[in-house]
Amino acid sequence: DAGVIQSPRHEVTEMGQEVTLRCKPISGHNSLFWYRQTMMRGLELLIYFNNNVPIDDSGMPEDRFSAKMPNASFSTLKIQPSEPRDSAVYFCASSRMTSGGYNEQFFGPGTRLTVL
Amino acid sequence: DAKTTQPTSMDCAEGRAANLPCNHSTISGNEYVYWYRQIHSQGPQYIIHGLKNNETNEMASLIITEDRKSSTLILPHATLRDTAVYYCIVSLNQAGTALIFGKGTTLSVSS
């Protein structure tokens, strides 16, 4: 299994530009989570989906952030316009909801975003 | 906000047991204790979880006090590769549930 795939691994952009981060969850997983990690704020949950439906987006910092999951194998996190304070490592994680299952999330390698 | 309290950092000698404490005094009856760790620059990795009984797997042991207000993660024979940030998380025991990470404990294993 390839694990959770994120792209790009590194992104450097200028303030005001649109940034799109991509995630491919593990095949068969039906929950997907987006996290952001900074030194100051640690690891924060931004939004998560169950069966492609957004369940909780209360962690999304502003309207500049949006996330979609058009199908079970793909999700995007978009920032428009980007600002320097959005610089962080963004992680995607997935898990499989099954009867008797437990809360093990599998994390991708992350996307390191730098906004100049 | 995270419902757990952990020491900021701990040191351990290679080959010795590492005992990482966690306080979760407000844990609810249907919530479990989960442990994840994050090795530098990688995504977090699940270690173990439990409700009230002690648990053991190939990675670690989890000891939960009888009143469930605290727990200890034990790495029986720490290696240099166990150097990481360890997160203690209180969560419902089902996939598709949010994990709220605190600051965690930075464990440094040295030779």
Side-chain angles (χ1 to χ4, degrees):
Chain A
D1 197 327
V4 176
I5 298 173
Q6 292 187 245
S7 64
R9 292 293 308 278
H10 302 273
E11 176 81 27
V12 180
T13 189
E14 293 188 346
M15 182 174 61
Q17 297 298 306
E18 177 179 298
V19 175
T20 299
L21 310 181
R22 297 172 175 79
C23 176
K24 177 179 171 56
I26 293 172
S27 178
H29 283 194
N30 49 8
S31 290
L32 184 139
F33 304 79
W34 282 102
Y35 294 85
R36 176 174 71 174
Q37 186 169 37
T38 61
M39 287 293 292
M40 289 294 294
R41 300 178 65 89
L43 195 59
E44 303 174 280
L45 176 66
L46 299 178
I47 184 172
Y48 72 100
F49 298 82
N50 286 343
N51 296 313
N52 311 336
V53 175
I55 302 302
D56 185 354
D57 65 355
S58 60
M60 296 286 262
E62 301 172 30
D63 291 344
R64 298 184 296 106
F65 286 69
S66 62
K68 294 182 179 180
M69 192 163 187
N71 56 62
S73 59
F74 184 66
S75 177
T76 60
L77 178 68
K78 184 177 295 186
I79 308 173
Q80 165 65 11
S82 59
E83 297 182 2
R85 58 190 167 131
D86 301 331
S87 297
V89 179
Y90 290 80
F91 289 103
C92 175
S94 71
S95 65
R96 182 168 63 181
M97 293 187 293
T98 59
S99 175
Y102 56 96
N103 201 359
E104 179 177 6
Q105 296 183 13
F106 295 81
F107 284 74
T111 295
R112 182 173 296 276
L113 173 66
T114 302
V115 183
L116 303 175
Chain B
D1 290 346
K3 296 177 64 174
T4 61
T5 304
Q6 301 177 250
T8 301
S9 62
M10 295 183 66
D11 295 320
C12 180
E14 189 176 23
R16 304 296 295 269
N19 297 284
L20 290 85
C22 178
N23 287 322
H24 33 79
S25 58
T26 61
I27 191 170
S28 301
N30 61 346
E31 290 178 318
Y32 284 60
V33 179
Y34 276 76
W35 285 82
Y36 278 71
R37 75 178 183 183
Q38 185 174 24
I39 296 172
H40 180 62
S41 78
Q42 298 181 20
Q45 174 193 25
Y46 165 85
I47 300 173
I48 197 169
H49 74 285
L51 178 64
K52 56 183 179 181
N53 298 318
N54 298 340
E55 302 287 345
T56 296
N57 63 20
E58 65 278 4
M59 290 183 68
S61 294
L62 174 60
I63 309 297
I64 302 174
T65 58
E66 191 168 345
D67 64 8
R68 302 210 322 124
K69 292 185 177 181
S70 65
S71 61
T72 301
L73 178 75
I74 301 172
L75 307 179
H77 305 287
T79 71
L80 297 179
R81 287 182 291 183
D82 291 323
T83 293
V85 179
Y86 288 78
Y87 298 98
C88 171
I89 303 166
V90 167
S91 170
L92 296 177
N93 193 42
Q94 58 189 67
T97 304
L99 290 173
I100 306 302
F101 288 81
K103 298 295 185 183
T105 295
T106 298
L107 175 68
S108 299
V109 181
S110 57
S111 57

